[in-house]
Amino acid sequence: MKILGDLFRDYRFIFSFIVLLVILILAILSIFSPYDPTLWNVVPRDMRPSAEYWLGTDSNGQDIFWQATFAIRNSLIISLIAGLVSRVIAILVGMVAGYVGGATDRILMFISDSLLVIPLFLVFVMLAMLVREHMNLVVLGLMLSLLTWPWDARLIRSMILSLREREFTKTAILSGTGTVRLVLNEYMPFTMPLIFSTLINNIGFAIGLEITLAIIGLVDLMTPTLGTMLNWALFYQSTFLGRWWWVLTPVVLSLFLFIALYWQSVSISEYLDPRTRIQRVGA
Amino acid sequence: MIFLKRYLIPRLIQYILVIWLGITIVFLIPRLIPNDPVMRMISEMRARGSTLEPGAMDGIIRDLTEMYGLEGSWLDQYWAFWGRLFRGDFGVSFFNFPTRVNQLIATAMPWTLGLLLTTTAITTIVGNIVGGLAGYYSRKTWSRVLDAIAMVIRPLPYYIFAFSLLLLFASTLVFRWFPLTGGASLGALPSFTWPYIKNVLWHSFLPALSLTVLGGAVTFQTMKLIVQNVNAESYVQYAKLGGVTEGRIVGKYVIRNALLPQITGLALSLGQIFSGALITEIVFGYPGLGGLLYRAIVNGDYNLIMGITVFAIVGISTAMLIVDLTYPLFDPRVRYY
């Protein structure tokens, strides 16, 4: 409780907490939607926001408010899969590289450094073009997870490197602790704050990449996400036709989501360890 | 000699290895996907209603099979693939059928290069100087205000930020100050005359602004943090106590030391900056590589995408090597290993 009290003294935490709560509630509301998100022409088209249609309706004849709840839910599912799977890869690579060292370390770090240099956005486009017909939320999440681990693996590795030199490592090894146990029981707690804040950052990154891929038409446009909503709004020229309620819904929602996720991760990691703030930005 | 052995050669090896790994990934992707890439591409083109005479279609199938090098063992295919790349031959674009991919890239490249070089230069110089000053005077109000602005801009992805600028300043929704799309007005003939240059600058303003502000926010934030750390070092305190003027401390001691990690950071983020430029170009319909990529994706032009990717891998690695090689200019320690 004291922790929460301390965190709530940070205006960034308060803001991001409220925004994320509202967004989460919106995602849960999708369960109660009166409309099926895959059906078109269930409501009159292109209505302005009103008491009946809170955020208006779009040119496909869908209610924008309820469509947005599905979009948030799906975007969150994709980004959670991406974030969690890439965390597993980052932890494995970072810990093995940091703990084993030597040639293994050099090879793993070479791969992750290269992945930082290679324009993965383009590689992703190539992949997505070839698997387009099998694209769904899970495949997309897994593909995104392949991109986002290298930087965080590097951070975890450098943390393990410094932990390995500490006194307690020698004590543990000399008293017969196995490697797996040492890493899981002794090192994991130290890396948890870092892993948590990179997880939040990764979720934001994955949502952003999903929007970009949806705009260029590389995801399944029939599944509502923040990206596909925006794609449809652009497809029907809603900016020229002045249908601001349609195009602004996904844009404003994602703006709030990105800022809230980032502030959440910054305030939590600063609270847990002021130094991670510096490590996170790679200084 | 020691400098050569400990700094230069490892970097050159890394350079070659990164290009090798990148190209190998490009080679492997269509082969790891279970369906036949050639037939898949053909059906994709048919689905998009491309009409080609039968002769051209045969040519494309032959070209594709050769490009993917689908005859022979994987090793043979791999060699053939590299052979083609070394000859600088990416094959033909399906969409603009007889045009070679090289030619399309060469036309689009100056636009991207111009945009990238300008914005990266502005971002690096302004971001580091302002970030450095804000870090040194971190208790001043202007420093806090800038920090708060950076906190809002930093997490925004390239697409959303560029699109928000477009909605604000180029669409009919709010202001209509800038053109919505393109690199120059339709029908304007490229020339070195002031009206044409003005036209290009006017069209490039929003894409450039988008890249500069996003990149600048990151550079500003990291620089500010590094400088705040350097500030705590005892030599800075010593210089202050010794009566060295503030301008000298900031310019000569603090910012210069803080620049070193920033150069490494710049080298590592070049790939991201490049992807960001592509995405920004897509938003503004800019005629560079991003615009080309968008057309390639919409038309299912796999050859063109592959060409752009290979080109980008080589380009970014080279740029990174160049940034890495300027490092000794800033850090004398590297020179005297």
Side-chain angles (χ1 to χ4, degrees):
Chain A
M1 272 297 90
K2 189 183 166 297
I3 297 174
L4 274 180
D6 280 347
L7 276 170
F8 271 108
R9 236 170 271 149
D10 186 347
Y11 73 95
R12 293 171 306 191
F13 187 83
I14 300 171
F15 171 85
S16 55
F17 186 82
I18 293 170
V19 170
L20 290 179
L21 203 66
V22 170
I23 283 177
L24 208 62
I25 290 171
L26 281 176
I28 293 169
L29 273 183
S30 66
I31 302 168
F32 305 106
S33 167
Y35 310 110
D36 181 339
T38 57
L39 291 182
W40 286 6
N41 299 321
V42 288
V43 291
R45 293 178 190 193
D46 300 321
M47 304 291 278
R48 284 176 166 274
S50 62
E52 197 183 353
Y53 310 112
W54 293 351
L55 291 175
T57 64
D58 64 19
S59 304
N60 287 335
Q62 292 171 315
D63 184 294
I64 292 176
F65 175 79
W66 293 108
Q67 202 67 12
T69 59
F70 285 105
I72 291 172
R73 191 197 71 180
N74 291 339
S75 280
L76 286 180
I77 291 175
I78 293 169
S79 57
L80 269 176
I81 294 174
L84 290 173
V85 175
S86 76
R87 243 36 16 221
V88 173
I89 303 174
I91 293 169
L92 278 178
V93 171
M95 289 203 166
V96 169
Y99 192 80
V100 179
T104 318
D105 179 30
R106 276 200 294 277
I107 292 170
L108 286 174
M109 280 307 105
F110 164 68
I111 293 173
S112 68
D113 277 0
S114 308
L115 289 181
L116 283 173
V117 178
I118 295 166
L120 286 171
F121 172 63
L122 286 168
V123 174
F124 197 99
V125 166
M126 292 177 67
L127 257 177
M129 290 213 51
L130 292 168
V131 298
R132 181 145 41 180
E133 60 224 33
H134 309 290
M135 193 65 102
N136 58 37
L137 296 181
V138 179
V139 173
L140 184 60
L142 289 177
M143 281 170 69
L144 290 173
S145 73
L146 292 179
L147 300 190
T148 51
W149 60 267
W151 187 250
D152 306 322
R154 205 155 231 298
L155 294 179
I156 293 168
R157 167 184 169 268
S158 59
M159 195 152 195
I160 298 290
L161 277 182
S162 78
L163 289 174
R164 205 176 55 168
E165 299 308 316
R166 294 237 202 130
E167 203 64 35
F168 74 86
T169 302
K170 287 180 197 113
T171 319
I173 291 174
L174 289 177
S175 52
T177 313
T179 307
V180 177
R181 253 192 81 157
L182 174 73
V183 170
L184 286 184
N185 289 356
E186 310 295 332
Y187 291 173
M188 266 307 237
F190 281 99
T191 52
M192 268 340 262
L194 184 66
I195 290 168
F196 188 68
S197 73
T198 59
L199 172 69
I200 299 179
N201 276 335
N202 248 287
I203 289 174
F205 182 78
I207 294 174
L209 201 50
E210 189 275 327
I211 292 178
T212 312
L213 291 168
I215 293 300
I216 53 182
L218 288 177
V219 304
D220 175 21
L221 293 178
M222 289 301 140
T223 314
T225 64
L226 290 171
T228 55
M229 257 189 109
L230 192 53
N231 184 317
W232 282 112
L234 292 177
F235 180 77
Y236 280 106
Q237 310 281 344
S238 58
T239 48
F240 300 105
L241 299 172
R243 293 186 183 129
W244 49 267
W245 59 90
W246 189 6
V247 69
L248 283 185
T249 302
V251 171
V252 171
L253 276 174
S254 50
L255 282 176
F256 272 101
L257 191 53
F258 290 125
I259 295 170
L261 284 170
Y262 179 62
W263 286 13
Q264 189 82 15
S265 108
V266 169
S267 57
I268 289 179
S269 61
E270 258 174 52
Y271 172 76
L272 291 170
D273 177 7
R275 276 178 44 226
T276 53
R277 182 171 173 195
I278 296 147
Q279 284 170 352
R280 195 167 38 75
V281 295
Chain B
M1 257 3 246
I2 299 173
F3 164 69
L4 204 71
K5 216 169 127 189
R6 289 200 37 192
Y7 191 82
L8 207 58
I9 291 178
R11 261 154 196 81
L12 286 173
I13 293 173
Q14 169 101 5
Y15 172 67
I16 293 164
L17 281 176
V18 165
I19 290 182
W20 166 78
L21 185 72
I23 306 276
T24 306
I25 291 175
V26 173
F27 170 82
L28 286 177
I29 286 174
R31 286 173 178 75
L32 294 178
I33 307 295
N35 42 16
D36 179 0
V38 176
M39 280 304 133
R40 166 137 181 67
M41 285 304 125
I42 299 289
S43 69
E44 177 106 343
M45 285 161 65
R46 288 221 171 99
R48 278 156 208 283
S50 314
T51 42
L52 288 166
E53 58 268 42
M57 189 58 92
D58 283 348
I60 289 179
I61 293 180
R62 210 174 326 113
D63 207 61
L64 271 173
T65 321
E66 199 196 321
M67 186 64 206
Y68 291 123
L70 291 176
E71 313 101 330
S73 69
W74 274 35
L75 203 66
D76 295 340
Q77 298 177 16
Y78 193 52
W79 272 117
F81 187 76
W82 273 103
R84 269 187 95 134
L85 294 189
F86 265 114
R87 273 176 276 130
D89 179 7
F90 298 109
V92 291
S93 156
F94 309 143
F95 176 53
N96 306 302
F97 175 58
T99 323
R100 302 206 78 78
V101 165
N102 289 359
Q103 231 171 316
L104 289 171
I105 293 180
T107 325
M109 232 247 311
W111 291 95
T112 303
L113 214 58
L115 190 65
L116 260 179
L117 284 180
T118 322
T119 53
T120 313
I122 297 175
T123 305
T124 313
I125 295 168
V126 176
N128 279 321
I129 292 176
V130 177
L133 291 173
Y136 191 77
Y137 299 107
S138 57
R139 295 191 186 283
K140 295 260 163 77
T141 316
W142 60 267
S143 168
R144 282 160 195 252
V145 170
L146 282 178
D147 199 40
I149 295 172
M151 280 296 284
V152 174
I153 293 172
R154 168 87 188 255
L156 303 180
Y158 285 98
Y159 187 86
I160 285 293
F161 188 68
F163 187 68
S164 305
L165 284 185
L166 182 133
L167 282 183
L168 277 177
F169 299 117
S171 78
T172 46
L173 288 185
V174 195
F175 306 109
R176 249 208 115 161
W177 294 344
F178 291 97
L180 197 57
T181 176
S185 298
L186 280 178
L189 285 174
S191 58
F192 269 107
T193 54
W194 176 235
Y196 182 74
I197 295 172
K198 207 169 72 180
N199 195 317
V200 169
L201 288 180
W202 186 53
H203 277 79
S204 311
F205 185 79
L206 279 185
L209 181 73
S210 169
L211 285 170
T212 317
V213 173
L214 270 184
V218 180
T219 319
F220 168 85
Q221 251 191 356
T222 45
M223 186 64 177
K224 182 166 177 277
L225 279 172
I226 301 167
V227 165
Q228 280 173 330
N229 280 357
V230 174
N231 254 343
E233 300 266 344
S234 43
Y235 70 85
V236 179
Q237 304 299 324
Y238 184 77
K240 273 182 193 162
L241 293 174
V244 181
T245 57
E246 264 202 351
R248 206 178 151 84
I249 296 178
V250 182
K252 275 226 116 146
Y253 303 140
V254 176
I255 291 193
R256 191 142 176 226
N257 271 300
L259 265 183
L260 300 177
Q262 284 293 77
I263 295 169
T264 321
L266 175 67
L268 278 178
S269 56
L270 282 173
Q272 231 177 349
I273 294 173
F274 181 80
S275 302
L278 292 186
I279 293 166
T280 309
E281 283 185 9
I282 291 175
V283 176
F284 291 101
Y286 205 66
L289 287 176
L292 192 64
L293 177 75
Y294 181 65
R295 273 189 293 145
I297 294 168
V298 172
N299 295 300
D301 197 338
Y302 194 82
N303 241 8
L304 185 51
I305 296 174
M306 194 149 73
I308 296 175
T309 310
V310 169
F311 181 81
I313 290 170
V314 177
I316 292 167
S317 319
T318 310
M320 190 175 163
L321 181 73
I322 293 170
V323 174
D324 258 348
L325 291 183
T326 61
Y327 193 82
L329 296 177
F330 296 93
D331 190 353
R333 284 169 302 184
V334 181
R335 277 178 271 164
Y336 305 114
Y337 257 137

